[in-house]
Amino acid sequence: MTFRGYTSVIFTLMVSPGFSAWVSHTALFSRLFSARSMLVLLVVFIPALFNLSAAQERSIKISSSRSPPGCPVGDCGLRSSAAYTELVIGVFQHVYTDDEMRKLYRWGKTSNVWRDFDDDMADFLARNRVLRINVGKSRTPSIFIVSRAEYDGAPPLPGDLVRYVPLRPHHDAEGRKAPSRFSVLSGCIAILCRTTDGPCFKNYEEGFFDKSTGVEINWRTGKTLPSGKLVDPITALPLKAVKSAL
């Protein structure tokens, strides 16, 4: 109500333990509204912040476990601390470009796969080549690293049948001159059959084999495959079937 140009203001006594004061309804409503707004903000935004944080954490985990660049599924056997220890016979598919190698290097560092290796991308690019080889009837894609000199000496073509073995120390002349921690991931590649030489392929068996005995193994477990194949570790030519008893 308004009397003679004045607006009446009603006061309410606020009483609480150790405190009492007269507060106008206007101030009271204002305080209640502010408190209510703050409560709404807390109810709505705090869970949202937690959800955002959880989403970010999930994103980081997904990012760190995602397949390496150029790998369609899984990790394609990319090693984190040493080269493949097996003799591998398969069909060469692709050599990574420098740009693809950069992406692989960044992935290896950010996903912690190569966290213990030198933080030197230029050295990695200068010394290495990254190859993708499909192995066996299942065409299992696998990623291998070889020295650039090794690859450039006789570069395979897509469709060539190749043999991979771990790098032999006495062949690593470049590594002895200027050691690189990435050299432990490297191996040797050799062409067994050119893609145009169809009959040549029949002379070999694709797979993962023990580099010393030539016995076929499961590349994930390193264990001998029952009724697996057997190849000569030197020539990579098949010898005979391995009995299940092995």
Side-chain angles (χ1 to χ4, degrees):
M1 293 182 294
T2 303
F3 297 94
R4 299 178 183 179
Y6 295 95
T7 300
S8 61
V9 178
I10 303 174
F11 290 86
T12 302
L13 178 64
M14 301 289 293
V15 180
S16 63
F19 173 82
S20 64
W22 289 96
V23 182
S24 71
H25 282 183
T26 302
L28 179 62
F29 291 151
S30 176
R31 293 180 184 181
L32 288 175
F33 179 78
S34 297
R36 189 171 184 177
S37 298
M38 289 298 296
L39 181 61
V40 171
L41 289 173
L42 291 174
V43 170
V44 172
F45 286 102
I46 287 182
L49 290 174
F50 278 111
N51 289 337
L52 177 61
S53 177
Q56 290 174 335
E57 184 177 353
R58 285 195 300 272
S59 176
I60 292 172
K61 289 181 179 179
I62 291 173
S63 176
S64 64
S65 61
R66 189 176 300 156
S67 296
C71 176
V73 63
D75 61 5
C76 290
L78 184 68
R79 300 304 167 93
S80 60
S81 59
Y84 266 93
T85 57
E86 302 87 8
L87 181 160
V88 184
I89 301 174
V91 177
F92 173 71
Q93 291 295 318
H94 179 68
V95 56
Y96 280 43
T97 64
D98 284 354
D99 185 56
E100 289 172 328
M101 286 182 62
R102 290 187 186 94
K103 292 178 181 177
L104 178 65
Y105 180 90
R106 295 189 187 102
W107 180 89
K109 298 298 288 186
T110 57
S111 65
N112 289 328
V113 171
W114 290 339
R115 63 183 176 183
D116 296 329
F117 287 99
D118 300 332
D119 191 11
D120 189 345
M121 184 187 296
D123 182 64
F124 176 69
L125 293 173
R127 292 174 181 268
N128 303 288
R129 285 289 195 181
V130 179
L131 314 179
R132 189 170 68 245
I133 298 172
N134 286 358
V135 183
K137 294 180 180 179
S138 63
R139 313 318 298 162
T140 302
S142 300
I143 295 176
F144 300 88
I145 296 176
V146 300
S147 72
R148 185 173 286 262
E150 175 85 17
Y151 174 85
D152 291 345
L157 300 174
D160 286 351
L161 186 70
V162 297
R163 181 221 64 192
Y164 166 93
V165 291
L167 188 66
R168 296 182 178 90
H170 61 279
H171 284 174
D172 190 18
E174 183 182 2
R176 290 197 301 273
K177 292 177 183 176
S180 169
R181 295 181 69 187
F182 273 104
S183 65
V184 301
L185 296 175
S186 186
C188 297
I189 194 80
I191 300 168
L192 298 176
C193 303
R194 284 297 188 183
T195 183
T196 54
D197 189 5
C200 174
F201 283 70
K202 298 178 182 179
N203 296 324
Y204 296 93
E205 294 283 359
E206 295 183 37
F208 298 85
F209 305 91
D210 184 280
K211 69 175 182 179
S212 299
T213 64
V215 176
E216 188 177 13
I217 61 175
N218 182 319
W219 68 273
R220 290 186 175 87
T221 64
K223 295 182 178 180
T224 299
L225 286 176
S227 300
K229 299 180 285 287
L230 180 66
V231 301
D232 185 304
I234 305 300
T235 66
L237 290 168
L239 295 179
K240 60 182 180 179
V242 179
K243 295 181 180 181
S244 301
L246 289 178

